[in-house]
């Protein structure tokens, strides 16, 4: 007989993660990591729920982390993501530059830069930054941005191919996987499929 495999780990919901981080901060109000993760969790919850009121809470969490440690990398990244969500594209680039100065090997920072550059119409810079991102970490985040930039340039087939690559790197069943599949469906529809 085959041994029974251990049960798969159960992932916590975003709300459960937020609740655990809030409890952790009750015990240690100077935990900069917990503040940063709380802010990131709240940003994820906005993606899942559409409740944009959570942006203010996320910003406060990032501010609390950075007040205690101005180089808290996750809080700097979070501020960049939040700035993008609030359409403060120049501000997002400032946050990304601060984070990049601390860790020039984190592809997520390049993603913030790409998004800010695209939204500001700085397409040549965005393409160069995006190539660095793909070289550093070819994954859902980089491939989905490649898809978007290709679509901006009118390369719908190339955009579709890049989004297929993004789907292949996504964790099946995750929110980002569903988002990527949705965008792949839109690209297919726009090609008449």
């Amino acid at each position: 007989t085959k041994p029974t495999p251990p049960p798969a780990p159960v992932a916590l919901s975003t709300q459960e993660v937020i609740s655990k981080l809030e409890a952790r901060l009750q015990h240690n109000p100077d935990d900069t990591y917990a503040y940063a993760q709380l802010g990131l969790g709240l940003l994820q919850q906005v993606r899942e729920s559409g409740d944009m009121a959570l942006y203010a809470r996320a910003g406060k969490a990032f501010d609390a982390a950075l007040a205690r440690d101005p180089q808290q990398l996750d809080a700097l990244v979070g501020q960049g993501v939040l700035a993008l969500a609030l359409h403060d594209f120049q501000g997002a680039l400032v946050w990304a530059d601060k984070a990049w100065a601390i860790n020039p090997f984190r592809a997520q920072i390049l993603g913030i830069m790409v998004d800010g550059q695209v939204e500001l119409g700085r397409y040549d810079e965005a393409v160069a930054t995006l190539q660095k991102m793909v070289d550093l970490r070819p994954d859902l985040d980089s491939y989905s941005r490649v898809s978007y930039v290709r679509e901006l340039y009118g390369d719908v087939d190339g955009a579709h191919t890049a989004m297929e690559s993004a789907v292949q790197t996504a964790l099946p069943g995750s929110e980002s996987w569903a988002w990527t599949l949705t965008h792949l469906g839109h690209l297919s529809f726009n090609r008449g499929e």
Side-chain angles (χ1 to χ4, degrees), residues 6 15 28 43 51 69 74 84 89 91 94 112 127 137 146 166:
Q15 183 54 55
N28 183 3
L43 291 181
D51 182 359
D69 178 4
D74 289 332
L84 289 171
F89 306 119
V94 170
I112 295 166
V127 168
R137 189 174 175 98
V146 168

Side-chain angles (χ1 to χ4, degrees), residues 73 75-81 83-84 88-104 106-117 129:
L73 187 61
L76 292 169
V77 168
Q79 287 285 32
V81 173
L84 289 171
D88 177 10
F89 306 119
Q90 192 60 49
L93 293 176
V94 170
W95 288 112
D97 286 342
K98 289 179 182 182
W100 191 251
I102 295 169
N103 184 350
R106 187 160 172 183
Q108 185 182 18
I109 299 166
L110 292 171
I112 295 166
M113 290 178 184
V114 170
D115 293 349
Q117 291 162 345
T129 304

Side-chain angles (χ1 to χ4, degrees), residues 168-184:
Q168 295 303 312
T169 63
L171 177 64
S174 66
E175 179 272 333
S176 57
W177 175 76
W179 179 92
T180 307
L181 281 176
T182 300
H183 282 277
L184 182 60

Side-chain angles (χ1 to χ4, degrees), residues 102-192:
I102 295 169
N103 184 350
F105 299 102
R106 187 160 172 183
Q108 185 182 18
I109 299 166
L110 292 171
I112 295 166
M113 290 178 184
V114 170
D115 293 349
Q117 291 162 345
V118 165
E119 295 299 333
L120 292 170
R122 294 160 46 181
Y123 301 122
D124 291 342
E125 284 179 70
V127 168
T129 304
L130 182 53
Q131 186 60 59
K132 288 180 192 174
M133 184 180 184
V134 172
D135 292 345
L136 186 60
R137 189 174 175 98
D139 65 0
L140 180 147
D141 291 332
S142 57
Y143 289 138
S144 62
R145 284 176 173 88
V146 168
S147 176
Y148 183 60
V149 169
R150 285 181 178 174
E151 188 178 15
L152 286 174
Y153 278 96
D155 180 6
V156 178
D157 291 338
H160 193 274
T161 299
M163 195 59 77
E164 286 176 329
S165 296
V167 168
Q168 295 303 312
T169 63
L171 177 64
S174 66
E175 179 272 333
S176 57
W177 175 76
W179 179 92
T180 307
L181 281 176
T182 300
H183 282 277
L184 182 60
H186 288 271
L187 289 166
S188 296
F189 181 82
N190 291 339
R191 291 194 326 177

